[in-house]
Amino acid sequence: MILAVTMNPSVDISYHVESFKLDDINRVEDLRKTAGGKGLNVARVTAQMEEAVMATGVLGGTIGDYIVQELNKSNIPNDFLKIKKESRNCIAILHEGMQTEILESGPALSKEEGAAFLEKFEGLLANTSLVAVSGSLPKGLAANYYQQMLKISHKMGVRMILDSSGESLSQALLCEKKPFAIKPNTAELSQLLGMKVDAEIANLKQTLNHPLFHGIEWIIVSMGGEGAFVRHGDDDYKVTIPKIEVVNPVGSGDATVAGFAVALNRNQSVETILKTAMTTGMLNTMEAGTGYIDVNKMNEYFDFIKVEKV
Ligand code: ADP
């Protein structure tokens, strides 16, 4: 089973208004509410690929109840730690071709809740072959919380894919127990190292020699429409993808993590793992829904992807 962790999930609300007026009443013409969070996207795409999955993390209040209800509706097994405070709403106002976002930072966890989740996490790992941890940490948890989760997953012998950014990622990479895989994009790499990292191969090769990355088995640097650069052990790969019509790119990194996790869990070859990861990322961009792929298109796009050693 693949375990997909989201520590700060949300209900994502998008409001469509014809024109957005400041300091006035805005009446909503159309709205969409979804259970949001990077790990939930990973769980959804993994479930669509018919791989056993469990969604976990922390949630609370009626917003937390809504998230569970949505996951149940989509038949995604879930086991979250209930916390005292209410989970967050994230609002996107779509107006005049623009997107204005209002993002709550989410509930602060108590020390006890932080400790209780680590206990739950360890319990869930007993039935897990691969764990994907996605997104940022909620308030109240120590910056090294992902380090603590890494230590537990090492102890339990479960490989961890960590898809995070900023302080949560940099702290985790300082741990002597490294994640099994990470999936930064070039912006996240730049932020992590405090210098501009561009998509040029020689530059990426040199960047990944940084000591922070030593001991990580898979580093997938996803580059949107340009595919990805990947380091696996001592080998580097350039993965090229075809041009496609993009409908909504939000969540494509999460879909990539899901495809990667599923192929890895099925013990597939390096080439198949990389092609699967790129295909699920691409298929996500072709749909309006976030964390949704049309699995029927899998084979068609898979064959267009080129993996070459560089
Ligand atoms: P993130 O959302 O984490 O920044 P990326 O934007 O790099 O991740 O996208 C992850 C993957 O999704 C890419 O490697 C690619 O396979 C696919 N993808 C994303 N944007 C596009 C695009 N414009 N055209 C084709 N594929 C895309």
Side-chain angles (χ1 to χ4, degrees):
M1 179 186 84
I2 293 173
L3 185 67
V5 183
T6 317
M7 294 305 288
N8 202 2
S10 56
V11 169
D12 292 345
I13 305 172
S14 59
Y15 287 141
H16 291 253
V17 295
E18 202 171 284
S19 66
F20 183 54
K21 300 178 285 280
L22 282 174
D23 200 24
D24 203 348
I25 291 168
N26 291 276
R27 293 199 190 277
V28 173
E29 290 154 16
D30 183 24
L31 74 91
R32 202 182 240 238
K33 259 191 196 186
T34 51
K38 289 167 70 67
L40 298 191
N41 295 334
V42 173
R44 270 193 282 263
V45 174
T46 303
Q48 283 153 41
M49 295 177 80
E50 297 184 351
E51 192 76 0
V53 68
M54 169 79 76
T56 188
V58 293
L59 42 71
T62 50
I63 296 177
D65 292 342
Y66 182 82
I67 293 171
V68 170
Q69 193 185 308
E70 288 296 294
L71 287 170
N72 288 344
K73 252 198 241 164
S74 317
N75 293 318
I76 296 174
N78 56 84
D79 186 357
F80 283 78
L81 177 79
K82 281 262 161 71
I83 56 168
K84 281 220 186 77
K85 295 201 172 114
E86 182 90 11
S87 289
R88 62 184 174 149
N89 279 321
C90 289
I91 299 172
I93 304 163
L94 307 169
H95 56 102
E96 298 127 330
M98 291 181 271
Q99 182 159 335
T100 301
E101 298 196 13
I102 298 167
L103 309 180
E104 293 179 25
S105 59
L109 269 65
S110 68
K111 262 211 181 83
E112 293 72 29
E113 288 169 334
F117 180 74
L118 289 180
E119 209 170 292
K120 180 179 217 37
F121 180 64
E122 183 163 345
L124 287 168
L125 287 185
N127 300 314
T128 297
S129 44
L130 194 63
V131 57
V133 177
S134 307
S136 55
L137 285 168
K139 288 183 293 184
L141 296 182
N144 72 354
Y145 196 78
Y146 282 154
Q147 274 197 18
Q148 298 177 54
M149 289 173 68
L150 266 170
K151 285 187 183 146
I152 294 171
S153 65
H154 271 267
K155 185 176 89 180
M156 299 294 289
V158 180
R159 297 169 294 179
M160 184 196 282
I161 305 166
L162 178 62
D163 182 18
S164 185
S165 56
E167 190 62 13
S168 324
L169 176 63
S170 61
Q171 282 281 336
L173 297 188
L174 290 173
C175 185
E176 91 265 19
K177 305 278 186 211
K178 299 284 175 163
F180 183 73
I182 57 173
K183 194 222 64 63
N185 55 33
T186 50
E188 285 159 354
L189 276 183
S190 304
Q191 186 192 25
L192 187 66
L193 299 171
M195 59 182 211
K196 174 101 186 83
V197 175
D198 60 44
E200 211 249 314
I201 294 215
N203 181 239
L204 287 168
K205 274 177 172 275
Q206 204 187 355
T207 302
L208 298 190
N209 288 337
H210 192 284
L212 267 185
F213 304 115
H214 287 175
I216 305 175
E217 186 85 18
W218 288 89
I219 304 171
I220 301 175
V221 182
S222 68
M223 302 187 298
E226 302 300 311
F229 174 82
V230 179
R231 177 162 292 176
H232 173 229
D234 294 331
D235 298 326
D236 288 341
Y237 299 90
K238 180 179 180 343
V239 192
T240 315
I241 60 176
K243 289 265 165 293
I244 50 167
E245 187 117 357
V246 173
V247 178
N248 174 17
V250 179
S252 48
D254 308 329
T256 297
V257 168
F260 175 74
V262 169
L264 200 64
N265 207 37
R266 292 178 183 166
N267 292 319
Q268 283 167 330
S269 68
V270 169
E271 188 173 339
T272 302
I273 289 171
L274 295 180
K275 286 187 174 181
T276 309
M278 287 298 100
T279 308
T280 45
M282 282 166 53
L283 294 182
N284 180 79
T285 70
M286 295 165 74
E287 304 291 328
T290 300
Y292 177 81
I293 62 169
D294 181 350
V295 281
N296 296 320
K297 293 184 179 153
M298 196 78 201
N299 290 342
E300 183 187 336
Y301 286 90
F302 184 94
D303 291 335
F304 283 120
I305 295 163
K306 211 170 86 196
V307 177
E308 51 184 327
K309 246 189 184 164
V310 287

